[in-house]
Amino acid sequence: MEHSRRALIGGIGAGLALAGSGAPRAFAQNRKIGYAVVGLGSYATRQIMPNFAGCDSARLVALVSGTPAKLEQFGTQYKIPKTHRYSYADFDRIRDNPDIDAVYIVLPNSMHAEYSIRAAQAGKHVMCEKPMAISVAECQAMIAASKKAGKKLMIGYRSRFEQYNRLAIDLARSGHVGPTRLITAEHGFPAQPNQWRLDRPLSGGGSLMDIGIYSLNAARYLTGEEPVEVSAVESTDRNDPRFKTVEDRINFMLRFPSGIIANCVSSYSSSHNSYRVIGTQGYIDMEPATPYQGQSMTIRKDGVATPRVLPAAAKTQFAGQLDHLAECILTNATPIVPGEEGLADMRVIEAIYRSAAEHRSVGIKA
Amino acid sequence: MEHSRRALIGGIGAGLALAGSGAPRAFAQNRKIGYAVVGLGSYATRQIMPNFAGCDSARLVALVSGTPAKLEQFGTQYKIPKTHRYSYADFDRIRDNPDIDAVYIVLPNSMHAEYSIRAAQAGKHVMCEKPMAISVAECQAMIAASKKAGKKLMIGYRSRFEQYNRLAIDLARSGHVGPTRLITAEHGFPAQPNQWRLDRPLSGGGSLMDIGIYSLNAARYLTGEEPVEVSAVESTDRNDPRFKTVEDRINFMLRFPSGIIANCVSSYSSSHNSYRVIGTQGYIDMEPATPYQGQSMTIRKDGVATPRVLPAAAKTQFAGQLDHLAECILTNATPIVPGEEGLADMRVIEAIYRSAAEHRSVGIKA
């Protein structure tokens, strides 16, 4: 199933790439793809940027920030020349910088679409953080823009480059514990006040956009299927100053074509990071499932629970993700998590919000 | 909250008992209450009957079965005289046996109401297995019959007499890991074919009636609240010969007045036995949560997970349950799990089925 799904996505993606109007740029196979990181928040500076050092095919060549002090600090730290440091006012000038092959958009959610589209229009490939954007319409516009430019578009689903999650996908889809019957997936953390993620105009939503998307995406990648029905329940204390404009908890159930049901948690007021794939003969348990590091897997089969420990990975999930887009660019392949993957999540996210608001289950069509 | 809820239930129950038309029977404080076990299936013969040996206030005095060989086998084993062995045709003659104070109904679900009501009419106290019956209307009729007879009615929620579950209730309601925000509760097992539980006229429903009720009841006892909204999703392969008349999987989410959401699993095609109470500072995890023995608890608080191991209990949950009704009879107290508790579950069960069938959330009123 994994194979056929990848083939399908590859087929679609390849078609889009060929249909693009931009002329493919020729790359030497031995050069590294140059990234501009757009947005110098903590995720960019603490998780992404240090990981270029472990990449085979990607390197950091430019920075974009609205804060001159950050450009100075990180520009110095990463030896980025002043000519490769940009403000947002300067953003479109990246077009004229041939060292920049791709941009990595790490901005607040509501800015993903605009900057991804402007990057494509500037002739750059795009890596965009999840959630891809704040609406299905924006996701579609981003895909169209990259297609028109003949450039790649990939979404930052880092767990797809993490070895335990990859193993879980293989085990789940191959029926290692029997055909999957149920999935539980739980993600949440106590939101700290006064962050852009609690400001709807910037975030587009609350816990679901930010952390619940991990539960949703896991349910989709562990099944390899698209849900056909979603039912959601929200619980938010609007007297809590953190939750004036965004939701706290929004749990949801997904029904998949094969009959699998996924029970999912999304919370901004409690800590969760786990999933479990339950088959007819046992389960595959991951807790924590999607942290930056330290995944832990237990497999229960025929009544016996056994921890599954893998040798240390040669490459972090962050480096793997950065290298993947780079290698797709170098070989003209389609990323395993292209814009269509972000769009698929966003379709379900919109259905989850609708279900919770209307107190009914919502059918989802591809 | 536990205290006030018990006080409330006690108040209601005491009122019902006083309102009953039957004269209260006087019991010596030092005698044991005599039980007739009605239905000699595996749960009765393997779990309940051996546990009378560990009871302080209860003893097995009579058997009711439609199978003469079982009456002979277990009558001999438990030294039950032939005068205290009954067929269903003889059932109402228990009225004339003063050794029988109470009956324990361990029949298929659809027979609970009839035999509970006939037992009350015969002047006997009733312990009835869960689910209490197969509809709200039946539960109400059972409560009315016991009230009219001035006899106790208790439902066999054994986990309320199991020490880890009791501790979990205390910890959850006292905010040991902070105020509860979410609960996950998962129960299921692969149903074997050709059992009464797969035959709707006998069972009244599938996994929800049988095993999912543990998830539901746990969510209610861990919160001490009644859910106000339920949303359910069912998934059943009707081509599976086991599921011609009853559901396989039916998962549901409950929203409680305090804002807690419970994500619940009910499955007849995969194994589950766990719950987790997630507060703002950590969680209380039980896995397995509700087995006959071997509960396991882990508490995570402020980032540190610690197994919680209790000394061996002085009394099994089965003996504790049997003794509790006996002691309520002897002291004219109301059981902590009276008929009203079974009715409360059944109200939610009906709402769950309606939600799944109508693809919408269903509000629940007490």
Side-chain angles (χ1 to χ4, degrees), chain B residues 68-146:
Chain B
K70 286 187 180 176
L71 286 173
E72 177 63 25
Q73 176 191 346
F74 295 106
T76 302
Q77 181 179 338
Y78 287 95
K79 300 187 171 55
I80 309 297
K82 286 197 164 40
T83 53
H84 289 52
R85 304 177 192 171
Y86 298 86
S87 69
Y88 293 111
D90 291 336
F91 180 76
D92 299 309
R93 289 201 300 102
I94 62 172
R95 175 194 310 269
D96 305 318
N97 188 333
D99 290 337
I100 301 173
D101 302 297
V103 302
Y104 193 152
I105 308 291
V106 207
L107 293 165
N109 307 339
S110 67
M111 302 166 74
H112 287 183
E114 178 188 343
Y115 282 86
S116 292
I117 291 168
R118 284 167 63 180
Q121 289 170 343
K124 306 304 181 186
H125 302 283
V126 173
M127 175 86 79
C128 181
E129 252 318 301
K130 65 197 168 313
M132 178 171 173
I134 61 172
S135 70
V136 164
E138 284 189 348
C139 294
Q140 290 169 331
M142 292 163 71
I143 292 169
S146 287

Side-chain angles (χ1 to χ4, degrees), chain A residues 5 16 57 83 103 106 136 156 159 198 206-207 213 249 266 278 288 300 340 364:
Chain A
R5 185 158 174 272
L16 292 177
S57 306
T83 53
V103 301
V106 208
V136 164
S159 293
L198 299 177
S207 70
I213 192 173
R249 285 155 285 173
S266 174
I278 305 99
R300 183 179 170 98
E340 287 78 4
I364 304 172

Side-chain angles (χ1 to χ4, degrees), chain A residues 229 231 235 259 276 287 359, chain B residues 229 231 235 259 263 276 287 359:
Chain A
E229 181 183 7
S231 184
S235 183
R276 184 179 287 191
E287 183 167 19
H359 298 268
Chain B
E229 181 182 7
S231 184
S235 183
N263 277 23
R276 184 178 288 192
E287 182 167 20
H359 298 269

Side-chain angles (χ1 to χ4, degrees), chain A residues 180-186 190 229-235 242 248-256 258-267 269-272 274 276 278-280 282-283 285 287 355-356 358-362, chain B residues 180-186 190 229-235 242 248-256 258-267 269-272 274 276 278-280 282-283 285 287 355-356 358-362:
Chain A
T180 302
R181 288 291 181 257
L182 290 167
I183 290 174
T184 59
E186 294 147 28
E229 181 183 7
V230 61
S231 184
V233 172
E234 186 201 326
S235 183
R242 296 175 298 172
D248 170 10
R249 285 155 285 173
I250 186 162
N251 292 3
F252 50 98
M253 298 184 291
L254 306 171
R255 191 166 57 78
F256 290 91
S258 67
I260 297 169
I261 305 176
N263 278 22
C264 298
V265 163
S266 174
S267 176
S269 61
S270 44
S271 294
H272 311 252
S274 64
R276 184 179 287 191
I278 305 99
T280 55
Y283 61 65
D285 188 276
E287 183 167 19
S355 173
E358 299 180 3
H359 298 268
R360 63 178 181 87
S361 77
V362 172
Chain B
T180 302
R181 288 290 181 259
L182 290 167
I183 290 174
T184 58
E186 294 147 28
E229 181 182 7
V230 59
S231 184
V233 172
E234 187 201 325
S235 183
R242 297 174 299 172
D248 171 9
R249 285 155 285 173
I250 185 162
N251 291 3
F252 50 98
M253 298 183 291
L254 306 170
R255 191 166 56 79
F256 290 91
S258 68
I260 297 168
I261 305 176
N263 277 23
C264 298
V265 163
S266 174
S267 176
S269 61
S270 44
S271 294
H272 311 253
S274 64
R276 184 178 288 192
I278 304 99
T280 54
Y283 61 65
D285 188 276
E287 182 167 20
S355 173
E358 298 180 4
H359 298 269
R360 64 179 180 88
S361 78
V362 172

Side-chain angles (χ1 to χ4, degrees), chain A residues 304-324:
Chain A
V304 180
T306 311
R308 181 74 176 259
V309 180
L310 297 176
K315 201 184 281 189
T316 69
Q317 60 189 316
F318 301 98
Q321 178 190 320
L322 292 165
D323 267 346
H324 180 67

Side-chain angles (χ1 to χ4, degrees), chain A residues 77-339:
Chain A
Q77 180 179 339
Y78 287 95
K79 299 186 171 58
I80 307 297
K82 287 196 163 42
T83 53
H84 290 51
R85 304 177 193 173
Y86 298 85
S87 68
Y88 292 112
D90 292 336
F91 180 77
D92 299 309
R93 289 202 298 104
I94 63 173
R95 176 195 309 269
D96 305 318
N97 189 334
D99 290 336
I100 301 173
D101 301 297
V103 301
Y104 193 152
I105 308 290
V106 208
L107 292 164
N109 306 338
S110 67
M111 302 165 75
H112 287 185
E114 177 189 343
Y115 281 86
S116 292
I117 291 168
R118 284 167 63 181
Q121 289 171 343
K124 306 303 180 185
H125 303 283
V126 173
M127 175 87 78
C128 180
E129 253 317 301
K130 63 195 171 315
M132 180 171 171
I134 61 172
S135 71
V136 164
E138 283 189 348
C139 294
Q140 290 169 329
M142 291 163 71
I143 292 169
S146 287
K147 177 178 171 181
K148 185 175 178 192
K151 298 295 169 183
K152 310 290 181 191
L153 171 59
M154 173 171 157
I155 312 303
Y157 289 107
R158 60 182 166 76
S159 293
R160 294 293 295 274
F161 303 92
E162 191 283 318
Q163 60 175 356
Y164 283 94
N165 280 275
R166 292 169 75 108
L167 175 59
I169 292 170
D170 289 344
L171 294 174
R173 297 197 198 173
S174 66
H176 181 71
V177 291
T180 302
R181 288 291 181 257
L182 290 167
I183 290 174
T184 59
E186 294 147 28
H187 285 82
F189 62 87
Q192 299 304 307
N194 305 317
Q195 298 181 85
W196 67 259
R197 64 189 73 227
L198 299 177
D199 184 11
R200 178 175 293 275
L202 289 172
S203 62
S207 70
L208 178 58
M209 283 283 188
D210 188 23
I211 187 70
I213 192 173
Y214 283 86
S215 295
L216 165 59
N217 197 246
R220 290 181 51 253
Y221 64 65
L222 292 165
T223 57
E225 301 180 31
E226 296 300 332
V228 291
E229 181 183 7
V230 61
S231 184
V233 172
E234 186 201 326
S235 183
T236 302
D237 177 2
R238 294 295 176 185
N239 293 319
D240 186 321
R242 296 175 298 172
F243 305 129
K244 292 292 183 196
T245 67
V246 300
E247 81 278 1
D248 170 10
R249 285 155 285 173
I250 186 162
N251 292 3
F252 50 98
M253 298 184 291
L254 306 171
R255 191 166 57 78
F256 290 91
S258 67
I260 297 169
I261 305 176
N263 278 22
C264 298
V265 163
S266 174
S267 176
Y268 257 169
S269 61
S270 44
S271 294
H272 311 252
N273 191 314
S274 64
Y275 61 67
R276 184 179 287 191
V277 179
I278 305 99
T280 55
Q281 297 165 46
Y283 61 65
I284 301 155
D285 188 276
M286 285 271 282
E287 183 167 19
T290 63
Y292 295 155
Q293 55 187 11
Q295 274 76 358
S296 179
M297 177 182 278
T298 299
I299 297 173
R300 183 179 170 98
K301 190 168 183 182
D302 299 329
V304 180
T306 311
R308 181 74 176 259
V309 180
L310 297 176
K315 201 184 281 189
T316 69
Q317 60 189 316
F318 301 98
Q321 178 190 320
L322 292 165
D323 267 346
H324 180 67
L325 176 60
E327 286 152 14
C328 285
I329 292 168
L330 291 167
T331 63
N332 195 25
T334 301
I336 62 168
V337 280

